[in-house]
Amino acid sequence: MTRFVAGRLGQMVVVLFAVSVLTFLIFNVIPNGDPASRMAGKSPTETQVEAIRAEWGFDEPLPVQYLRTMEQVLGGQAISYFTQLNVRDEILRGLPRTLALAVGAAILWMAFGIALGLLGALRAGRLSDRLLTFAALAGVSLPVFWLGAILSHFLGYEWGLFPNGGYVPFAEDPLDWAYHLVLPCATLAVLFTGFYSRLVRSNVLDTMGEDFVRTARAKGLSERRVLLAHVLRNSLIPVVTLWGLDFGAVVAGGAILTETVFDIQGVGQYAAESVGQLDVPPVLAVTLFGAFFIVVLNTAVDIAYALLDPRIRVGER
Amino acid sequence: MSGPLLEVRDLAVRFAAEEGPPVEAVRGISLEVAPGEVLALVGESGCGKSVTALALTGLLGGGAARVAGSARLAGRELIGAGDDELRAIRGAEVAMVFQDPLSSLNPVLRVGDQIAEQIRAHGPAGREEARARAAELLDQVGVTPGAERARAYPHELSGGMRQRAMIAMALSCSPRLLIADEPTTALDATVQAQVLALIGELRDATGAGVLLITHDFGVVAELADRVAVMRAGRIVEQGGVEEVFDRPADGYTRRLLAAVPRADAPPRAPLEAREPLLELEGLAVAYGGGRGRIARRAARRAVDGVDLTVAAGETVALVGESGSGKSSLARAAARLIDPAAGRVLLGGSDFTRAGRRALAPLRRDLQLVFQDPQGSLNPRRRVGASVALGLRLRGAGRAEADRRARALLERVGLEPAHADRWPHELSGGQRQRVGIARALAPEPRLVVLDEPLSALDVTVRAQILELLDDLQRERGLAYLLISHDLAVVRQVAHRVAVMRDGRIVEQGPAVEVLAAPADPFTAELLAAVPVAHPRDRATPTA
Amino acid sequence: MGQSPWRLALRRLRRDRIALAFGALFVVLALLALAAPLWADVAGRGPNATNETGTIDVGGEQVDVVSLDGVPIGPQWRGEYFLGADANGRDVMVRLLYGARNSLLIGIAAALLTTLLATLVGLLAGFYGRWVDAVARSALDVIWAFPVVLLGVALGTALALGGLTVGPIDLAAGSIAISIAVIAVVYVPYMARPIRGEVLALRERDFVAAARAQGASATRTMAGELLPNLAPTIVVLAPLMVANAILLEAALSFLGVGVVPPDPSWGNMIDAGVERLVTAPHLAIAPGLMLVLSVLALNVFGDGVRDALDRRGGAAWEAERP
């Protein structure tokens, strides 16, 4: 097990490096034109561009450029040339908001995903299953930014059931904090619930066809025990893995659209607003930090997965 | 005896089909099992024997199956019984053992916990008590030390140990009836013998009745007291085991018994010395290796320095249990995988190191027939095109290749029109015939037969064996037969090589190796072959 | 003549009325997009023609297309301003149909490109294994590490000013070719991974070994044995990829790195409409509904294709098992 963890951590370092190189390539090498003037934003002055070129090392060879870029971003020196604000500080300021949104949504979509998926599998082929399947497909077909805007407008503005966007820090008013998060979390969860319920349904159906489930029934176990101890446990293992990954993706900027629509002012919205100004340093930093976060989380999930499923442990030994 | 333990009357099962009329899997069968008796329900695939077992315990599930008739366990009606009643009976009074112990055990739960779970479902035992009892049971069936093995996950046990654990689980509540559905089919011969002996011992010790479902008359001859032969949902013959073996009344039973290769037939005499056609020299195959130093060290040698020759027109059988490396050897000989060491000579030229240009004529000389006739045909290509591929690759025009492919299909006993069919439209036996026709297309001198019979029903096996024999005579083909079935080997091989852990432990003329094995492992393999007739059992039935 | 596996699947699909209905819905939407110029004729103005000061006749009265305080007129349910006007007095229905052209064109082209790349990568990596696989897999893993929208945004932002030159092909900044390329690349791992897995499984099947033993070359084995067996997976994934690509295009345009205004796409129309939900809800609702309908149509149809091909298709070959 120690060896597996060590190996997995080694892999992680390699992927982190590759991710940073790809980010560097995307922003500074692949596009046509001068990277310094792109960094500088929409209407830079000549002196600004020159200063950026020197600071980021854009007149040096590519490996040096790469190192300078990483130094700028990871070292927390990068600033937005549009707002003059430090990029890392802005990300850290948005992080708690993004986390709150991601945690709430992840709990919702996992709970509803399992419940609806299980219901569909138990009623497979019947009308209720077909309706659930259709609802799930509708869920994954709804663009989150549109759904969010519509819900926020009607439930928030028109009918006044929920606040019309915005975020209240937990420390200020826990109740209001939760109240403001309900609609954004639910909106973000709709898409994932559609996906997860279909995944759970198909996994449960597959597992129900397994020989060991027949064995469990032949042992005279109650249907409830067969379902919980044998079917669900086996079918949820891959779902839990995916949950970890999707949660990571949401924290790392995947909630960019939801945050924007509901004005959460999290990491995603920071990126979205910078995109609108074609303000490159914040987008670069969010992309890099986001990918790093995901890679680290993936590693953690893999290790957790090995703890959950004994077969993996032996396979890797 | 106080009446039968299990009494089945006019049991019928039908399934709703996706289209067309419902499928009648079981068409009114009646049978009885007395306490302490082993009734073997024998039949070929699709005859309804497994469906019968599941119907008895209400495990057919879903709304698709309709079960009619009656099945009484010690007087209690099982068909149509309520879910709760059936649940109380399952595991406690009727226990089941299935074919594949790996897939039948939950992969993420410890073996001991899976047994304890059943104990607790049927009694007031506490967690610790049930666990202790599970360990005891494992000891009892020979999974020792039980206390330690109880903490293992299924994949950490060998195939035989897993099936023993399944039996321990079945026994945990002292059932009155044990239903064993092909309990040894997924196991090696030596393990099969042990598991059959275990079931026999337990029957003697507990006095439980056993319903043994199998396709294998060897298993029947070893263990059964009575036999019921099933075909297409009906029981065609039923009687005492010796009676059925000696005086089969039904024509189908006679055909089945005649198709079983005789384990006591005399082996073929060796051919007189000829030029070797295929020569393996110090052949080794490694898996899991890579380029790195650590990876190379971790590599496992599946084949480890094998020398073997096959002469023109000769049949050499390579015998071994699963994991012995015989299939890897076959693939390396056909240059489907590159050997880690050694070389293969085909008609005197080096096959292992032949470049692309030299390879084409050599490939033509050596063809393969595979175990699973379903997996060996491209499901998205018409059968005729699969056969014609070898001809097209050798420059035949489309029409010419098609004509010859049809002729080949006819030669292997199919209709020329089968060329237009798709693999999913053929039966297993027909597919294997297509596989043989495909191998013949390039007009090879040697065919490697990798377990060509083991996925087929026994009557089909006999036909395929006959076809292979005809083709050998007609075309002077040499065969390298990979097999675990010594009865088949005895029937066809001129020479035999016995493989274990990647090495050949013994080779020589079939008459010598099979009659007077020099290696103890060969002797063990031979001893594990089920008896040909119930009267030859080591321990006669009580 | 026998029944090919494809024909069996088609027969099952034909029985799935719901899937067919939604497939037809998508075709209708695509035809509407193609017919956009015809509607522009009916409406009497092109997609980008503004009309901030004009008036139209509503029930005999002349009404401002855009009122003095900037509120555009709502749906008229007739040729001119069928779905009302936007803040610049442009005809929303005409823009919706021209937007459909952009959204569907980008979605379909990107999905085709993804399918092509993913099949190539998955096939080569799975078939050759060793270093080819190692390189392909790490490349896919690295792309996989980025959240889809974020990677799309990053590429979109980076390419928004200067465009991109790939060998002889020059993708100008702001052209829809950029959107197509960005979306295609982002989704490659999502399709290449299952294809590679499928190839790994197929490679071990005996019929591949048989073809090689017959002397079939690597190319012939891939084209003749592997590709036909990958086709069902590709056919199942392709409509879902189009759906995803359409959604991502809308998201990128919504964020401002997709189709560049004034050219319409559903995404930038929603973006503009969200700000006016209070006074002119039709601006956001109309393109949103079109987006939902087209994506839903593809998803439901794709689900039916999967049912017809995948599970029961496999079961058809397994049907002989006892």
Side-chain angles (χ1 to χ4, degrees):
Chain A
M1 191 67 201
T2 333
R3 219 158 115 189
F4 170 71
V5 172
R8 205 58 200 74
L9 289 176
Q11 266 178 10
M12 182 184 83
V13 173
V14 176
V15 178
L16 284 179
F17 174 70
V19 161
S20 67
V21 171
L22 182 64
T23 313
F24 167 73
L25 290 177
I26 288 175
F27 284 96
N28 294 347
V29 181
I30 293 176
N32 294 338
D34 174 19
S37 56
R38 199 164 42 242
M39 280 285 167
K42 268 180 175 164
S43 46
T45 64
E46 196 51 42
T47 31
Q48 261 178 339
V49 174
E50 278 310 317
I52 293 170
R53 182 167 297 133
E55 205 167 341
W56 293 69
F58 284 137
D59 40 11
E60 314 229 22
L62 282 180
V64 180
Q65 283 188 34
Y66 165 76
L67 289 176
R68 293 287 279 278
T69 304
M70 289 306 127
E71 190 188 340
Q72 288 280 325
V73 177
L74 299 179
Q77 294 148 21
I79 60 159
S80 152
Y81 299 102
F82 186 78
T83 60
Q84 303 301 325
L85 291 172
N86 182 295
V87 170
R88 198 176 63 175
D89 292 348
E90 290 298 294
I91 291 178
L92 288 176
R93 201 178 58 80
L95 196 57
R97 296 156 175 252
T98 300
L99 270 175
L101 173 67
V103 169
I107 291 171
L108 281 180
W109 86 59
M110 190 66 161
F112 281 100
I114 292 176
L116 297 178
L118 196 58
L119 196 64
L122 291 178
R123 307 219 174 284
R126 293 194 218 166
L127 183 65
S128 48
D129 171 44
R130 288 198 207 154
L131 289 176
L132 280 174
T133 299
F134 187 80
L137 286 172
V140 297
S141 303
L142 285 166
V144 72
F145 53 94
W146 183 72
L147 178 69
I150 297 292
L151 287 180
S152 166
H153 175 71
F154 285 104
L155 299 183
Y157 177 81
E158 296 271 342
W159 304 336
L161 296 176
F162 290 100
N164 192 11
Y167 178 90
V168 175
F170 182 79
E172 243 167 63
D173 183 349
L175 220 63
D176 212 24
W177 168 81
Y179 186 42
H180 274 80
L181 276 172
V182 173
L183 212 46
C185 287
T187 305
L188 184 54
V190 164
L191 167 79
F192 285 102
T193 304
F195 179 67
Y196 273 64
S197 67
R198 280 163 60 68
L199 185 71
V200 169
R201 176 185 178 273
S202 105
N203 279 358
V204 166
L205 282 179
D206 283 353
T207 313
M208 278 180 172
E210 296 275 0
D211 287 349
F212 64 80
V213 174
R214 186 182 59 187
T215 307
R217 293 218 169 88
K219 279 152 75 169
L221 303 184
S222 69
E223 204 49 32
R224 186 189 153 87
R225 169 131 193 128
V226 172
L227 205 60
L228 292 179
H230 294 273
V231 176
L232 255 193
R233 176 161 177 168
N234 279 278
S235 29
L236 287 189
I237 288 176
V239 180
V240 170
T241 318
L242 209 63
W243 192 40
L245 303 184
D246 281 336
F247 172 76
V250 167
V251 174
I256 180 168
L257 295 159
T258 314
E259 287 183 15
T260 308
V261 170
F262 287 101
D263 194 26
I264 304 279
Q265 302 278 339
V267 180
Q269 192 176 359
Y270 177 52
E273 279 167 1
S274 311
V275 168
Q277 308 301 335
L278 293 183
D279 186 2
V280 171
V283 184
L284 167 61
V286 172
T287 308
L288 189 62
F289 281 124
F292 271 26
F293 179 75
I294 288 183
V295 172
V296 173
L297 197 73
N298 281 5
T299 308
V301 167
D302 268 7
I303 292 169
Y305 193 68
L307 290 174
L308 264 175
D309 190 337
R311 280 168 298 182
I312 307 261
R313 261 177 274 162
V314 171
E316 293 284 343
R317 206 174 273 161
Chain B
M1 244 196 280
S2 57
L5 170 66
L6 176 72
E7 188 178 7
V8 178
R9 290 281 166 266
D10 301 319
L11 182 75
V13 182
R14 59 164 63 179
F15 293 97
E18 198 188 327
E19 47 191 292
V23 179
E24 300 198 37
V26 180
R27 303 163 182 245
I29 65 165
S30 301
L31 51 83
E32 290 173 6
V33 181
E37 178 187 61
V38 178
L39 172 71
L41 189 57
V42 196
E44 298 188 297
S45 58
C47 73
K49 55 191 194 297
S50 292
V51 172
T52 303
L54 295 175
L56 290 178
T57 44
L59 285 176
L60 277 176
R66 292 272 170 276
V67 184
S70 149
R72 288 173 176 275
L73 180 76
R76 277 166 80 188
E77 181 61 54
L78 299 175
I79 308 299
D83 285 346
D84 289 333
E85 192 181 350
L86 277 176
R87 198 173 300 132
I89 291 172
R90 284 200 294 258
E93 295 186 48
V94 182
M96 298 184 81
V97 175
F98 298 102
Q99 174 171 343
D100 181 0
L102 180 57
S103 63
S104 295
L105 288 164
N106 189 333
V108 300
L109 294 181
R110 294 172 199 277
V111 170
D113 291 347
Q114 296 190 52
I115 299 173
E117 180 184 49
Q118 179 168 357
I119 297 170
R120 298 191 66 202
H122 294 290
R127 187 180 296 267
E128 285 315 311
E129 193 187 341
R131 278 200 179 146
R133 175 91 183 102
E136 251 170 62
L137 282 161
L138 285 172
D139 274 326
Q140 200 183 331
V141 297
V143 184
T144 50
E148 192 180 305
R149 299 289 186 172
R151 283 193 298 276
Y153 289 96
H155 67 268
E156 295 171 325
L157 301 179
S158 70
M161 287 294 166
R162 277 180 220 132
Q163 195 61 302
R164 284 166 186 269
M166 278 296 287
I167 293 172
M169 188 188 292
L171 292 176
S172 62
C173 299
S174 315
R176 291 202 269 182
L177 177 68
L178 176 69
I179 300 179
D181 188 355
E182 302 274 8
T184 57
T185 306
L187 306 176
D188 278 327
T190 51
V191 181
Q192 160 167 314
Q194 295 161 9
V195 168
L196 288 178
L198 175 66
I199 293 177
E201 281 163 28
L202 293 169
R203 184 267 314 260
D204 294 342
T206 64
V210 179
L211 178 59
L212 176 70
I213 291 165
T214 182
H215 69 282
D216 185 344
F217 268 99
V219 170
V220 177
E222 283 284 350
L223 196 61
D225 299 312
R226 288 195 307 114
V227 186
V229 181
M230 203 167 169
R231 184 195 191 187
R234 291 202 169 85
I235 288 179
V236 295
E237 175 162 9
Q238 196 166 174
V241 64
E242 301 214 2
E243 186 188 318
V244 170
F245 269 77
D246 288 335
R247 293 176 297 280
D250 181 80
Y252 177 67
T253 315
R254 275 199 294 276
R255 281 219 304 287
L256 275 182
L257 281 167
V260 176
R262 300 287 298 178
D264 47 5
R268 280 171 97 171
L271 299 173
E272 63 267 39
R274 297 187 191 185
E275 277 289 285
L277 179 59
L278 175 76
E279 295 163 84
L280 311 182
E281 293 178 355
L283 195 69
V285 177
Y287 284 116
R291 278 169 201 280
R293 196 155 48 89
I294 301 170
R296 251 204 309 276
R297 213 186 309 145
R300 191 180 60 83
R301 289 222 156 174
V303 177
D304 198 359
V306 164
D307 298 302
L308 187 72
T309 61
V310 182
E314 185 187 35
T315 302
V316 174
L318 187 61
V319 183
E321 305 212 299
S322 56
S324 62
K326 52 191 198 305
S327 279
S328 301
L329 182 91
R331 273 156 200 268
R335 207 178 155 181
L336 293 172
I337 43 180
D338 286 324
R343 60 178 190 161
V344 178
L345 296 177
L346 194 57
S349 13
D350 193 337
F351 191 32
T352 27
R353 270 172 274 284
R356 195 185 287 190
R357 192 144 317 151
L359 198 57
L362 286 175
R363 284 233 185 259
R364 162 191 184 144
D365 279 341
L366 188 154
Q367 289 297 311
L368 292 117
V369 172
F370 299 91
Q371 168 174 3
D372 174 14
Q374 183 166 313
S376 71
L377 293 178
N378 187 339
R380 306 227 159 225
R381 182 175 261 170
R382 282 181 205 272
V383 159
S386 280
V387 177
L389 176 68
L391 300 165
R392 301 270 292 141
L393 287 170
R394 275 163 195 80
R398 191 177 289 271
E400 162 74 4
D402 185 60
R403 193 184 57 72
R404 280 166 61 191
R406 281 169 202 267
L408 280 167
L409 286 173
E410 205 170 0
R411 176 61 199 91
V412 298
L414 299 169
E415 302 289 324
H418 276 114
D420 299 319
R421 301 278 207 94
W422 298 85
H424 69 262
E425 297 173 315
L426 303 184
S427 71
Q430 287 175 323
R431 284 187 211 135
Q432 196 57 300
R433 287 174 194 272
V434 175
I436 293 170
R438 173 179 56 192
L440 293 179
E443 299 184 351
R445 292 197 281 166
L446 174 87
V447 178
V448 176
L449 305 163
D450 189 358
E451 300 271 8
L453 306 176
S454 47
L456 304 175
D457 277 326
V458 59
T459 48
V460 181
R461 281 184 197 185
Q463 295 161 10
I464 297 285
L465 265 183
E466 205 178 297
L467 173 65
L468 289 170
D469 194 42
D470 285 352
L471 291 169
Q472 182 166 48
R473 274 178 231 286
E474 182 183 304
R475 303 179 181 226
L477 285 173
Y479 288 142
L480 175 58
L481 171 70
I482 315 287
S483 181
H484 70 282
D485 187 341
L486 281 172
V488 169
V489 167
R490 179 182 289 270
Q491 197 174 332
V492 301
H494 297 110
R495 287 197 299 120
V496 174
V498 180
M499 205 166 171
R500 185 188 197 184
D501 295 337
R503 294 169 189 273
I504 288 187
V505 295
E506 176 169 12
Q507 64 172 313
V511 280
E512 289 171 21
V513 174
L514 299 180
D519 187 86
F521 178 66
T522 316
E524 195 188 328
L525 276 183
L526 281 167
V529 175
V531 294
H533 192 285
R535 87 171 81 77
D536 302 331
R537 281 180 204 168
T539 48
T541 44
Chain C
M1 291 300 253
Q3 290 244 338
S4 82
W6 286 112
R7 191 172 299 215
L8 291 177
L10 205 64
R11 231 172 57 197
R12 281 189 293 263
L13 184 60
R14 236 182 268 152
R15 278 202 299 265
D16 191 344
R17 295 265 169 75
I18 297 178
L20 287 185
F22 277 86
L25 173 62
F26 185 76
V27 173
V28 168
L29 291 173
L31 288 177
L32 281 177
L34 285 177
L38 296 179
W39 187 264
D41 275 353
V42 172
R45 65 182 65 247
N48 296 343
T50 57
N51 184 13
E52 276 147 359
T53 53
T55 57
I56 59 163
D57 177 88
V58 181
E61 255 178 81
Q62 288 297 313
V63 178
D64 286 340
V65 171
V66 182
S67 74
L68 287 175
D69 44 0
V71 178
I73 195 164
Q76 300 303 305
W77 311 116
R78 60 178 200 216
E80 202 183 3
Y81 293 114
F82 183 80
L83 286 178
D86 71 3
N88 301 97
R90 295 176 293 201
D91 188 314
V92 171
M93 183 65 184
V94 174
R95 282 180 69 71
L96 200 63
L97 296 182
Y98 274 93
R101 294 188 138 201
N102 280 331
S103 297
L104 298 184
L105 175 65
I106 293 173
I108 292 171
L112 283 180
L113 194 56
T114 301
T115 305
L116 199 72
L117 291 173
T119 306
L120 207 63
V121 172
L123 194 57
L124 294 176
F127 183 75
Y128 284 107
R130 296 176 190 234
W131 68 267
V132 182
D133 190 36
V135 169
R137 225 176 46 190
S138 5
L140 295 179
D141 277 351
V142 171
I143 300 181
W144 182 274
F146 295 87
V148 169
V149 186
L150 193 62
L151 184 58
V153 162
L155 281 164
T157 312
L159 300 176
L161 283 180
L164 169 69
T165 308
V166 196
I169 310 163
D170 205 30
L171 308 181
S175 75
I176 64 170
I178 294 272
S179 292
I180 293 172
V182 167
I183 294 168
V185 167
V186 168
Y187 278 119
V188 165
Y190 291 81
M191 196 160 174
R193 282 186 165 208
I195 288 179
R196 172 183 166 275
E198 190 96 12
V199 174
L200 286 181
L202 284 172
R203 203 178 59 166
E204 301 303 317
R205 298 271 293 271
D206 286 338
F207 67 83
V208 177
R212 286 182 52 212
Q214 303 251 339
S217 64
T219 327
R220 185 146 191 163
T221 308
M222 280 190 272
E225 311 297 323
L226 297 178
L227 209 50
N229 285 288
L230 284 178
T233 307
I234 295 170
V235 168
V236 165
L237 290 175
L240 309 179
M241 281 295 138
V242 177
N244 283 337
I246 291 176
L247 273 181
L248 182 56
E249 190 285 320
L252 294 183
S253 289
F254 176 79
L255 290 171
V257 285
V259 173
V260 182
D263 283 344
S265 96
W266 294 336
N268 64 27
M269 288 173 77
I270 293 174
D271 183 28
V274 161
E275 290 158 21
R276 293 173 194 279
L277 262 174
V278 177
T279 52
H282 64 278
L283 291 183
I285 289 176
L289 283 180
M290 285 292 273
L291 184 55
V292 173
L293 275 186
S294 57
V295 174
L296 181 64
L298 282 167
N299 276 331
V300 175
F301 178 69
D303 202 46
V305 172
R306 186 214 312 263
D307 274 352
L309 265 175
D310 207 37
R311 300 243 164 252
R312 281 173 288 172
W317 303 318
E318 306 270 344
E320 290 221 12
R321 279 178 50 188

